[in-house]
Amino acid sequence: MTDPKRIRNFSIIAHIDHGKSTLADRIMHLTGALTDREMKAQFLDQLSIERERGITIKAQTARLNFTNAEGEDFVLNLIDTPGHVDFVYEVSRSLNACEGALLIVDASQGVEAQTLANVYLAIENNLEIIPVLNKIDLPGADVDNTKKEIEDIIGIETERAVPISAKEGTNIRQVLEYVCKYLPPPKGNADAPLQALIFDAWFDEYQGVVFLMRVMHGKVRSGEKIRLIHSNKDYEVLKLGVFTPHGKVVNELGVGEVGFVVGGIKELRDVKIGDTVTTVNRPAPAPLPGFKEVKPMVFAGIYPTDSAEFPNLKAAMEKLCLNDSAFTFEAESSDALGFGFRCGFLGLLHMEIVQERLEREFNVNLVTTAPTVVYKVNTVQGETLHLYNPSQMPPVQHIESIEEPIAHVTIHTPEEFLGNLIKLCEERRGRQTNLHYHSPKRILLEYDIPFNEVVLNFYDRLKSCSKGYASVDYEIIRFQPGNLVKLDLLINGETVDALSWIVHKDKAYFRGRDLVAKMKTLIERQMFEIVMQAAIGSKIIAKERLAPLRKNVLAKCYGGDISRKRKLLEKQKEGKKRMKSVGSVEIPQEAFLAALSIE
C-alpha cells in the first residue's frame, strides 16, 4: 500500500482535439507504463468507435510510477477525460476522484468553449489546476497570447504554465515534475472505516459487474466482505486490481488509491455510479456525497428492426446503462414501429454514440426516430405534465400553455465569422445576451436559444458558417412559455406517431412543407398511390403525392379490339384500389431522421 503523501490523482481536461489523449500516451510512455512496441495513438481510447472518430467517450484510468528530479518516488493516478459537451458528465465523475487537473489549451487556437466548461467543473470541485500549452510545434502557436487569454477569460494564473508538444514529446517530464510539486496529495484517514466512491462500472461476461472506485478513507483487502450502501447488498472481494494501464491484481487499496473490484455481482441494478463502498465488519457511519443526478435533455425512440429482438435490446440497454449512467430508457410502443424504448440522452452526439455502441457491442439492428426535447405542458385543470414524446401531447382544448427549455449558448469565434453566426442564432429564435472581444481577433458571443432549435442541426450549421473555427458550449437554464404546436405526418390518411414533432407556430408551415417534400424523396414508390400530408390538428398544411408504379398489362395484346385493352386497364384500376386500402407503406430508417436535415 502506497503512502498517501506519495500519491497524486489528476485528470486531463481540455476542449475537443486539444491533445488530451496524445499527452496521456506520452505520460504513459515516459513513466515506462507502455513499451515502444505497445505505444500507439490514443492508447486509453479502448472503444473502436473512439479510435475511428478520434474522440474520447469514456474516461479511462492509469496508475503510473514516477521518480522526480530529487529522486523521490510517486504513484500517479491519471484519468483521461472526454472533451465534447455531451460527455461533460463523464468529466464531472472523474474530477470527483481527483485533487488536481492538467488544463490543456491549444497554443494555436487559444481558449475555446469547452475549455471554459471543463475548467469551471474543476473549480467547483476545488481542484488545483496546472495550465499546459500544447502544440507549440505548430507554426501558428502563440504562447504569450494564449497565456493572456487564460488569465483574462478563465482568471487563473499562468506562471506555472508549461509549454509542450505532446506530438513530439517536448517538456513532458516538466509536466510530471509540476504534478508532483504543485498538486496536493489525497487527504483521508487510513484508520477510519472504509469509504470508497464508485465512479465507473461495466459488465464483464465472465466476472459479472466490475466497478472502479477511489478510496477516500480506510482501506480494503482482497477476500474482505464489502457493502454497497445504496443497494444495501454485501459481497466478497474476489479480485482487487489497478490499471497500469493493463489490469494488474493487488492485495489491498488504501487512502487515495484508485482501483477496480470484482465481487461476483450478477445484478446490474445493485451497482450505482456515485454509491459508497464500505466493509461489513466495520461499516462507515455515512455515505459519501456522491454525484448530482444527471437529467437527459434529448429524447428519441429506439426500436428493434425485428420485433423478436426486443428482449435482446432490453438486456443490451441495461448493460450499457451501467457503463453510461447519463443514458436512460423506458419501454414504449408505437403503431408504426411496434415495441421499443423511449431513450434519454445528453445531446445528439451522445445519441449517435449510444446507437452505434448498441449495434456494435450487442449486435442488434435498430430504427431510431428523430430526437425531441422535453416540454412542460400546463393543462386547463392546473396540472403540469412533462412531455418526452410528441405523440403523447393532450388535445389542444386541454392545454393552457406549453413551456420549452431554453439553452444558454456560448460561442467562441474569430471576428470574420461574427455576422454569419449572429444570423444563424437569430434564425433559431435566439436572444443575444453578451458580445465580448477577449482579444482583437477573438469574440465571445452568448445567446439564449430554445433548445429544440439547438438540437436540430445547429452544430453542423455553426461549423459550416465559421469554416470549422467556432466552438460552442451550452447549458439548459430555464423553461419558458412558447407558441408551440404539434405537427403530424399522415401517410395515406394515417398518422405516423413516430414522425410527430413539436414546432413553433411561425415555423410550422415551412417545416411541414419541407418534411413532406423530404418524405417524397425517401419513400420508394409502391404499386399504389401514396399521399403524404403534414397537419396541425385537423388542418392540412402541406401535401405531396407519390404516383404508383404501373405494370404494363397491355404488353400481351398484339393489336386487337380496343375494348379488350380497356377491360384490362379497368381491371388493373380495380386491383390498385383494393391494394391501396390494405397496403402498408414501408418507411426507411432515413425517413425517421429526416427532421434533422430540414432547414
Side-chain angles (χ1 to χ4, degrees), residues 409 411 418-432 445-450 453 458 461-462 465 507:
V409 178
I411 301 168
L418 181 64
N420 292 348
L421 294 173
I422 287 178
K423 185 169 175 248
L424 171 67
C425 293
E426 296 290 340
E427 274 174 11
R428 299 298 177 115
R429 300 192 284 129
R431 190 175 63 80
Q432 193 179 117
L445 183 64
E446 293 182 32
Y447 263 86
D448 286 355
I449 304 177
E453 300 282 357
F458 180 78
R461 284 288 310 279
L462 175 112
C465 284
K507 293 190 170 189

Side-chain angles (χ1 to χ4, degrees), residues 308-338:
E309 286 283 299
F310 181 78
N312 296 348
L313 177 59
K314 188 179 180 197
M317 282 187 172
E318 283 172 352
K319 287 176 185 172
L320 188 64
C321 200
L322 173 75
N323 191 229
D324 180 354
S325 55
F327 164 59
T328 62
F329 65 94
E330 59 180 46
E332 72 166 7
S333 65
S334 153
D335 297 340
L337 298 168

Side-chain angles (χ1 to χ4, degrees), residues 13 18 39 53 69 73 108 138 141 178 214 244 246 276 309 345 368 386 388 396 402 419 440 463 466 475 480 524 564:
I13 55 176
H18 279 203
M39 186 72 179
R53 289 173 178 246
D73 292 328
S108 62
L138 293 182
Y178 277 25
R214 149 80 199 264
T244 64
H246 308 291
T276 302
E309 286 283 299
F345 312 93
T368 311
H386 284 83
Y388 301 105
V396 182
I402 303 174
K463 286 294 179 191
S466 64
E475 68 170 324
Q480 77 178 29
E524 290 184 6
R564 165 95 174 121

Side-chain angles (χ1 to χ4, degrees), residues 480-497:
Q480 77 178 29
N483 189 5
L484 303 167
V485 291
K486 180 181 158 203
L487 181 69
D488 286 318
L489 182 83
L490 283 72
I491 292 186
N492 283 353
E494 285 184 28
T495 305
V496 183
D497 57 352

